[in-house]
């Protein structure tokens, strides 16, 4: 859940930095259903009390990880329930609901019926044979009741047309193809209510108090209620992007678009899908004792360290693996050493005693017609011009990867440029230059100017991913709040003969190490905690 939220948060922050119009991030808690009713009973509390507590824990986890949500919808809220009742009315008026007997294998933890083909035979903890969902491993129970049914089968053609007309509607493409395959298979009508006698914790069906609206129909409407449905949603809908885990793809990419079309609304503009996190190659599970607690990770690696790891290593197309040594190696190498070390070395009093943004000298770093073919002039080398070309093209590259839901690739490009900048700094050894010599001072200041310009670009581009650390870096370089947007981001203006607003400016205060190196965990017990 936190990974979904971090992906959405980075996309939101990036959009804002591009000044690409109004943006908001809606999240929340889906609070109705049989499993909540049963969990509350087992805990000796009421469903509202349980939801109040657990919803607070989710909100706390998001806040701890720096997720800048603008809306937090609880499906037990009156505004949401009103939207659900109106949505149900639109389905009823559209003639897509009918009452019918429904029977099948129901999985309470997933709140869904599971087809026979997706079941496996197992034994329960008492050694008795039982059926479980192949995907989740949860036990299923045979259920027979009279419910309201949704004519999903009537929406095969409209859904296929929608997807063929919008090949980027579901991304990455592997998930788009999966949904197209589902549409070629059997598409039975969907049970959209439960008997009230079995499920009291939910929204009653309007005009039929014997039935409760199916929890997934209720939950999916949160995307509408968050933007003011049924009155003012038109200002946002359908230009919305859903960020979801692959386990709930069918609900979001099949059932939800069909329900929307049935209610007279368009499907969302894009559905962005990500895979899961394993721990040392194994699925997270309470029985294995390998569930990773986000709060412990934030405490261990810091907000920025944990965010960076998940967004740098998370590849939406496939499951990714988490373990402590992997996090330490990555954040120490790329944040503490490469980025933090570069800032520390290029702003050290011994090398920059005036604590200013040094001046660039054109004769020291002459402009060449084609950076890619530069052989180097004087002290500059071909690699130096390659660095300039790489950093100049970096903002557009990063922008494209964010738009393409490939944040990990954007961070890979930034990390590569940081390595190149360290190589530039190391190659020219500015600490060996004599500041009292006029010619050497010009070259020294030019090296520092180029390095700080690179750092300013990296700090600006990293804001959506590591907001705290990026702010610290940009403040050290005296980059003001109004100078941090992506829309006005320029690089090394002086190389192109244009003025640089930062040149000669006093640097910001030195607030210490940019990112502290993390040590190894001492014991297995600590690792488990």
């Amino acid at each position: 859940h936190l990974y979904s939220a971090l992906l959405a948060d980075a996309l939101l922050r990036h959009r804002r930095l591009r000044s690409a119009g109004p943006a908001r991030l809606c999240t929340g808690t889906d609070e109705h259903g049989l499993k909540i009713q049963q969990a509350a009973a087992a805990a000796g509390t009421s469903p509202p009390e349980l939801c109040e507590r657990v919803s607070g824990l989710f909100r706390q986890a998001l806040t701890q990880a720096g997720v800048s949500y603008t809306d937090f919808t609880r499906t037990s809220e009156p505004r949401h329930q009103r939207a659900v009742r109106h949505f149900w009315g639109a389905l009823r008026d559209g003639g897509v609901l009918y009452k019918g007997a429904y029977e099948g294998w129901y999985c309470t933890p997933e709140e869904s019926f599971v087809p026979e083909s997706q079941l496996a035979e197992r034994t329960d903890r008492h050694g008795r044979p039982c059926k479980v969902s192949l995907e989740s491993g949860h036990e299923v129970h045979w259920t027979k009741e009279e419910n309201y049914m949704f004519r999903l089968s009537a929406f095969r053609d409209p859904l296929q047309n929608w997807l063929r007309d919008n090949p980027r509607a579901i991304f990455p493409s592997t998930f788009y193809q999966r949904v197209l395959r589902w549409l070629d298979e059997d598409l039975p009508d969907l049970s959209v209510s439960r008997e009230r006698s079995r499920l009291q914790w939910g929204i009653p069906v309007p005009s039929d108090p014997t039935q409760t609206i199916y929890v997934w129909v209720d939950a999916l409407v949160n995307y509408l209620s968050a933007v003011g449905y049924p009155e003012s949603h038109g200002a946002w809908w359908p230009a919305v992007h859903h960020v979801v885990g692959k386990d709930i793809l069918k609900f979001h990419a099949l059932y939800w678009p069909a329900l929307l079309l049935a209610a007279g609304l368009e499907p969302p503009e894009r559905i962005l899908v990500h895979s899961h996190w394993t721990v040392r190659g194994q699925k997270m599970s309470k029985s294995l004792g390998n569930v990773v607690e986000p709060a412990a990770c934030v405490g261990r690696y810091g907000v920025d360290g944990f965010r960076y790891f998940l967004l740098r290593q998370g590849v939406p197309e496939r499951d990714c693996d988490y373990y402590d040594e992997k996090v330490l190696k990555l954040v120490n190498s790329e944040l503490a050493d490469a980025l933090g070390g570069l800032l520390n070395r290029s702003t050290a009093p011994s090398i920059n005693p005036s604590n200013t943004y040094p001046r660039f000298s054109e004769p020291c770093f002459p402009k060449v017609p084609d950076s890619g073919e530069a052989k180097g002039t004087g002290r500059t080398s071909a690699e130096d011009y390659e660095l300039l070309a790489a950093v100049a093209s970096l903002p557009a590259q990063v922008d494209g990867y964010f738009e393409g839901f490939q944040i990990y690739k954007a961070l890979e490009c930034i990390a590569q440029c940081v390595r190149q900048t360290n190589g530039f700094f190391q190659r020219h050894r500015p600490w060996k230059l004599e500041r009292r010599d006029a010619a050497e001072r010009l070259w020294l200041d030019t090296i520092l100017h180029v390095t700080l310009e690179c750092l300013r670009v990296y700090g600006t581009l990293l804001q959506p991913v590591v907001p705290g650390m990026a702010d610290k870096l940009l403040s050290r370089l005296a980059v003001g709040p109004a100078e941090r947007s992506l829309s006005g981001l320029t690089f090394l203006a002086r190389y192109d003969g244009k003025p640089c607003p930062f040149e000669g400016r006093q640097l910001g205060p030195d607030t210490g190490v940019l990112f502290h190196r993390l040590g190894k965990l001492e014991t297995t017990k600590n690792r488990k905690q």
Side-chain angles (χ1 to χ4, degrees):
H1 180 69
L2 181 62
Y3 180 53
S4 297
L6 283 179
L7 287 166
D9 180 62
L11 293 172
L12 173 86
R13 289 174 184 268
H14 182 259
R15 183 178 173 83
R16 284 180 171 164
L17 286 166
R18 285 174 57 228
S19 309
R24 58 202 285 189
L25 169 51
C26 309
T27 183
T29 42
D30 158 20
E31 300 185 4
H32 292 133
L34 191 59
K35 69 177 174 185
I36 307 292
Q37 184 175 297
Q38 291 175 350
T45 186
S46 68
E49 286 170 330
L50 177 76
C51 290
E52 181 72 30
R53 183 179 67 79
V54 176
S55 178
L57 293 173
F58 273 101
R59 197 186 287 250
Q60 184 183 356
L62 297 181
T63 303
Q64 281 176 335
V67 176
S68 54
Y69 58 83
T70 56
D71 301 77
F72 191 96
T73 302
R74 297 182 57 193
T75 60
S76 57
E77 291 171 7
R79 66 162 181 157
H80 173 73
Q81 296 195 27
R82 181 173 155 271
V84 172
R85 286 192 291 270
H86 191 279
F87 190 80
W88 182 276
L91 295 176
R92 183 192 57 220
D93 296 346
V96 294
L97 300 179
Y98 65 95
K99 215 166 187 181
Y102 193 85
E103 56 184 328
W105 295 101
Y106 194 77
C107 178
T108 302
E110 294 174 38
E111 293 287 13
S112 66
F113 283 96
V114 182
E116 193 85 42
S117 61
Q118 294 299 308
L119 298 176
E121 296 282 351
R122 297 280 189 274
T123 51
D124 65 15
R125 55 199 173 99
H126 303 295
R128 295 178 302 223
C130 67
K131 287 184 184 287
V132 300
S133 162
L134 269 175
E135 187 170 349
S136 68
H138 292 131
E139 192 173 346
V140 297
H141 300 278
W142 186 258
T143 305
K144 184 176 182 179
E145 47 187 60
E146 189 179 45
N147 299 332
Y148 282 97
M149 306 293 292
F150 169 64
R151 297 185 195 280
L152 179 64
S153 52
F155 287 87
R156 186 194 305 274
D157 288 347
L159 288 172
Q160 286 177 329
N161 292 337
W162 163 60
L163 287 176
R164 290 197 178 119
D165 292 344
N166 299 277
R168 284 169 53 82
I170 300 166
F171 193 83
S173 60
T174 47
F175 298 113
Y176 172 82
Q177 295 299 335
R178 187 178 299 179
V179 177
L180 282 177
R181 283 198 299 275
W182 285 336
L183 286 168
D184 285 335
E185 296 168 5
D186 189 32
L187 206 62
D189 288 351
L190 185 67
S191 170
V192 288
S193 72
R194 305 295 311 276
E195 287 179 355
R196 192 84 185 156
S197 57
R198 294 188 189 213
L199 176 61
Q200 298 84 47
W201 181 237
I203 302 171
V205 167
S207 73
D208 188 348
T210 69
Q211 294 278 316
T212 300
I213 295 174
Y214 175 45
V215 61
W216 265 104
V217 175
D218 162 4
L220 287 163
V221 175
N222 95 86
Y223 297 117
L224 286 171
S225 60
V227 292
Y229 181 82
E231 290 89 16
S232 55
H233 59 286
W236 295 90
W237 201 273
V240 297
H241 294 181
H242 295 341
V243 180
V244 300
K246 65 178 183 180
D247 54 318
I248 50 176
L249 177 62
K250 187 170 277 188
F251 296 97
H252 282 83
L254 209 61
Y255 304 157
W256 178 226
L259 289 163
L260 284 164
L261 291 168
L265 295 163
E266 289 182 54
E269 190 173 86
R270 295 193 81 190
I271 301 168
L272 304 171
V273 190
H274 67 78
S275 299
H276 292 164
W277 284 91
T278 56
V279 177
R280 298 183 184 276
Q282 289 184 302
K283 187 175 179 176
M284 275 194 222
S285 113
K286 286 177 185 172
S287 58
L288 288 173
N290 67 347
V291 174
V292 178
E293 179 55 51
C297 295
V298 170
R300 173 96 181 93
Y301 315 118
V303 176
D304 288 323
F306 192 43
R307 284 176 66 107
Y308 187 80
F309 173 78
L310 290 178
L311 294 171
R312 170 81 167 89
Q313 291 288 303
V315 179
E317 290 92 331
R318 61 176 183 269
D319 288 353
C320 298
D321 202 34
Y322 166 94
Y323 51 91
D324 184 67
E325 297 87 344
K326 190 177 183 181
V327 185
L328 293 183
K329 186 178 178 183
L330 179 81
V331 298
N332 281 341
S333 165
E334 296 190 358
L335 299 186
D337 298 345
L339 193 63
L342 185 62
L343 177 68
N344 192 41
R345 294 162 79 198
S346 58
T347 56
S350 58
I351 208 166
N352 187 356
S354 62
N355 195 39
T356 56
Y357 211 100
R359 297 189 178 280
F360 179 87
S361 168
E362 285 98 334
C364 288
F365 214 126
K367 186 166 173 64
V368 294
D370 182 356
S371 300
E373 295 177 9
K375 299 290 184 286
T377 313
R379 295 186 174 191
T380 53
S381 66
E383 293 98 323
D384 299 339
Y385 288 98
E386 285 167 13
L387 168 67
L388 263 54
V391 181
S393 64
L394 188 61
Q397 241 182 330
V398 167
D399 200 45
Y401 284 133
F402 265 84
E403 285 297 298
F405 194 51
Q406 293 175 307
I407 297 171
Y408 71 100
K409 283 191 177 179
L411 295 177
E412 202 174 288
C413 289
I414 295 170
Q416 173 59 29
C417 281
V418 172
R419 284 193 291 274
Q420 280 181 267
T421 314
N422 271 297
F424 166 79
F425 198 84
Q426 195 66 28
R427 193 160 53 245
H428 295 300
R429 305 162 76 88
W431 59 92
K432 293 277 191 185
L433 297 172
E434 179 53 67
R435 185 167 281 282
R436 285 170 296 192
D437 179 297
E440 295 228 322
R441 186 172 69 246
L442 285 175
W443 177 228
L444 169 58
D445 284 348
T446 299
I447 295 168
L448 294 180
H449 182 96
V450 171
T451 304
L452 296 192
E453 277 289 275
C454 290
L455 282 166
R456 182 176 62 80
V457 170
Y458 307 149
T460 305
L461 294 175
L462 284 169
Q463 289 175 99
V465 175
V466 283
M469 199 178 85
D471 173 58
K472 192 173 179 181
L473 192 161
L474 294 171
S475 297
R476 180 71 177 104
L477 300 181
V479 180
E483 299 169 316
R484 300 182 178 190
S485 82
L486 293 172
S487 52
L489 182 59
T490 57
F491 168 64
L492 208 60
R494 294 279 275 110
Y495 179 74
D496 293 313
K498 296 169 187 169
C500 171
F502 306 100
E503 198 173 61
R505 188 183 291 188
Q506 195 71 26
L507 293 180
D510 182 0
T511 52
V513 175
L514 184 66
F515 187 89
H516 287 274
R517 277 187 66 81
L518 302 173
K520 290 182 179 176
L521 286 176
E522 290 171 11
T523 64
T524 307
K525 184 182 175 187
N526 283 345
R527 183 179 293 120
K528 281 183 178 172
Q529 285 173 351

